[in-house]
Amino acid sequence: MKILIVEDESGLRDSIEAYFTGGDSICETASDFSSALAKVSIYRYDCVILDLTLPKGNGLDIVKHLKDSGHNDGVLIISAKNSLDDRLTGLDLGADDYLTKPFHLSELKSRVTAIVRRRSFNGNTNLKFNEIDIDLAAKTVKVNDTVIKFTRKEYALLLYFIANKGKVVSKSAIAEHLWGDSIDIADNFDFIYSHIKNIRKKLVEAGGNDYIQAAYGMGYKFTEV
């Protein structure tokens, strides 16, 4: 998962980042309204963990910006405020869930995972595409009942392709999704081709089909053979 943590309290922000990063997620952070707005205006996230009370602005305006811009990022509001009005306002604006501080990090992660699964895979914990069977909880991939070992990046890229099947995704979108905004410093995206080559090879060797097609000059598309 690619997560944006918008929280001005440094201790909590660092704790959330460490917890999610340890679970193989890519995390970016913002400590105030301006930096959060800049990030969600440029980059896309599987889920934005969003505090309501921020320096220089209100977190609810971030939710409104996302929805007004037509972006489909998941949003989980976290706030010390426990009023029904705040919760309903956030949900009415388009947030997916609301968690009141203090909370256990394990519950936060479960809720974020549920949001991402619901948005990307219709709430399923098992994802099936023809002969490819993915257990999202165990993070295992099978082709015709044969378990395939993917690296973390290969697994994340395969999920990204399936979640966007039938759509052309650019190299820059793939890179930014898998490595975050730090990828901006990369000179080229040759490493993406290496990951795609490995995915293709492993699928075919297990008796599967090669669903990844190059859209020359644009990127790649995961589609039916």
Side-chain angles (χ1 to χ4, degrees), residues 96-132:
D96 296 273
D97 202 353
Y98 187 110
L99 189 59
T100 303
K101 300 176 184 177
F103 50 77
H104 292 290
L105 291 174
S106 57
E107 180 181 3
L108 176 66
K109 186 173 183 180
S110 293
R111 294 200 184 202
V112 169
T113 301
I115 290 172
V116 174
R117 186 167 60 233
R118 185 167 61 247
R119 283 179 166 271
S120 299
F121 306 113
N122 299 317
N124 296 320
T125 56
N126 280 88
L127 178 64
K128 189 169 182 61
F129 182 86
N130 295 341
E131 72 278 9
I132 302 173

Side-chain angles (χ1 to χ4, degrees), residues 142-157:
K142 292 182 180 179
V143 170
N144 298 322
D145 294 325
T146 299
V147 177
I148 303 177
K149 292 186 177 181
F150 287 107
T151 66
R152 287 187 294 179
K153 293 300 185 187
E154 290 166 2
Y155 174 80
L157 181 53

Side-chain angles (χ1 to χ4, degrees), residues 19-208:
Y19 190 82
F20 274 86
T21 302
D24 299 339
S25 295
I26 295 172
C27 294
E28 297 175 15
T29 63
S31 59
D32 57 43
F33 178 85
S34 299
S35 58
L37 183 61
K39 282 182 174 291
V40 299
S41 297
I42 300 173
Y43 304 109
R44 302 277 54 84
Y45 300 92
D46 292 312
C47 190
V48 178
I49 300 173
L50 178 66
D51 190 10
L52 290 183
T53 306
L54 297 169
K56 305 178 183 179
N58 190 318
L60 291 176
D61 290 328
I62 299 290
V63 183
K64 189 173 186 302
H65 170 80
L66 284 168
K67 303 313 168 185
D68 289 347
S69 301
H71 298 316
N72 196 39
D73 308 45
V75 177
L76 172 62
I77 292 174
I78 56 172
S79 177
K81 295 181 179 180
N82 194 23
S83 74
L84 181 61
D85 287 344
D86 287 328
R87 186 179 312 178
L88 293 179
T89 298
L91 295 175
D92 287 344
L93 285 173
D96 296 273
D97 202 353
Y98 187 110
L99 189 59
T100 303
K101 300 176 184 177
F103 50 77
H104 292 290
L105 291 174
S106 57
E107 180 181 3
L108 176 66
K109 186 173 183 180
S110 293
R111 294 200 184 202
V112 169
T113 301
I115 290 172
V116 174
R117 186 167 60 233
R118 185 167 61 247
R119 283 179 166 271
S120 299
F121 306 113
N122 299 317
N124 296 320
T125 56
N126 280 88
L127 178 64
K128 189 169 182 61
F129 182 86
N130 295 341
E131 72 278 9
I132 302 173
D133 194 356
I134 302 176
D135 186 326
L136 297 173
K139 298 182 180 180
T140 57
V141 180
K142 292 182 180 179
V143 170
N144 298 322
D145 294 325
T146 299
V147 177
I148 303 177
K149 292 186 177 181
F150 287 107
T151 66
R152 287 187 294 179
K153 293 300 185 187
E154 290 166 2
Y155 174 80
L157 181 53
L158 178 62
L159 281 184
Y160 185 62
F161 273 131
I162 294 177
N164 291 279
K165 61 181 180 291
K167 302 176 183 177
V168 175
V169 289
S170 67
K171 291 181 181 180
S172 59
I174 293 171
E176 190 263 324
H177 179 82
L178 296 181
W179 281 270
D181 55 9
S182 61
I183 199 61
D184 290 343
I185 62 175
D187 293 330
N188 59 65
F189 298 136
D190 290 346
F191 52 86
I192 293 176
Y193 176 73
S194 296
H195 287 304
I196 290 175
K197 182 180 178 181
N198 290 338
I199 292 172
R200 283 171 162 163
K201 182 174 183 290
K202 291 177 181 180
L203 289 176
V204 171
E205 286 181 347

